[in-house]
Amino acid sequence: MLCFSKPKIGKSILVTQMLQALATAGQFFASTVTAPMQAVMLQADTPPGIWQEELAQTGLPTDSPVHTLFLDPGALSKNLTPVLAQLAPLRPCYLAFDAIDSLFAGLDINEPEPAKEVLRRLRRVAQGHAFLAIHHARKGSPGEVEDLRDAAAGSRILMEQADQVVFIRGNTGPIEITGRLMSHTYERRTLKRTAGGLWQYTPPTAPRLSP
């Protein structure tokens, strides 16, 4: 899965809320996780101290069962053996990568071959398990994008080879999330953030029918 938006929308917090639901068999918006699973975030976008402050500000537990591995920028564009060694004892079932530009610093993902290498390395680290990669929208993307393949930064290959894509639109107020499974847009949800920064989803109200 690829989750992307303009900078500073709150992608990392949104993904963390999802990982905590997976790790605790909790509720994630309209969905309930039926059994807990080991969830791991590989973080190279925010230093540990700042990340802990952001979690505390939102009210999310800083000692949650979600494991966070803080990596140096460009860590996944180098030898993957040290990263795989850190992951091995955790035995993750779901991984989140935050974010592609930071973890793969030094690779020009605007070119097809480096973009393919990013995907190969993500899959190697995930080792057959489900994963989500956080990414950024293309600079200058309009508010309404007809083809989601043109909305993400870098080569189209990142979008075209993702099994599932989530695009977060907007900058302030309600945020619209559009999901895509391959080439089919399947769902749109509108979310709002609390004063602390958590994401909230209110299901749409069914229209009232006149008698």
Side-chain angles (χ1 to χ4, degrees), residues 28-159:
F28 183 65
F29 302 135
S31 302
T32 301
V33 180
T34 56
M37 63 178 67
Q38 189 74 289
V40 175
M41 175 179 276
L42 291 86
Q43 170 70 264
D45 214 42
T46 308
I50 296 176
W51 179 241
Q52 294 297 319
E53 290 177 6
E54 291 183 4
L55 290 181
Q57 182 179 356
T58 62
L60 287 170
T62 55
D63 58 348
S64 77
V66 176
H67 293 275
T68 302
L69 295 183
F70 292 96
L71 304 176
D72 293 332
L76 297 190
S77 58
K78 304 172 185 175
N79 183 359
L80 295 178
T81 302
V83 176
L84 294 173
Q86 291 183 72
L87 283 173
L90 300 178
R91 304 179 68 182
C93 295
Y94 197 99
L95 298 92
F97 297 90
D98 190 9
I100 287 179
D101 336 9
S102 303
L103 290 164
F104 293 94
L107 288 182
D108 182 6
I109 60 173
N110 292 305
E111 298 299 323
E113 287 307 315
K116 289 179 183 177
E117 181 64 16
V118 165
L119 293 171
R120 282 193 291 266
R121 286 172 171 264
L122 289 175
R123 290 170 181 144
R124 184 181 171 195
V125 173
Q127 297 187 319
H129 298 294
F131 68 89
L132 178 152
I134 296 175
H135 194 33
H136 296 300
R138 186 183 304 279
K139 291 182 179 179
S141 296
E144 294 296 328
V145 180
E146 294 182 1
D147 190 338
L148 288 180
R149 292 175 299 174
D150 295 323
S155 170
R156 259 194 176 194
I157 288 172
L158 294 173
M159 296 285 287

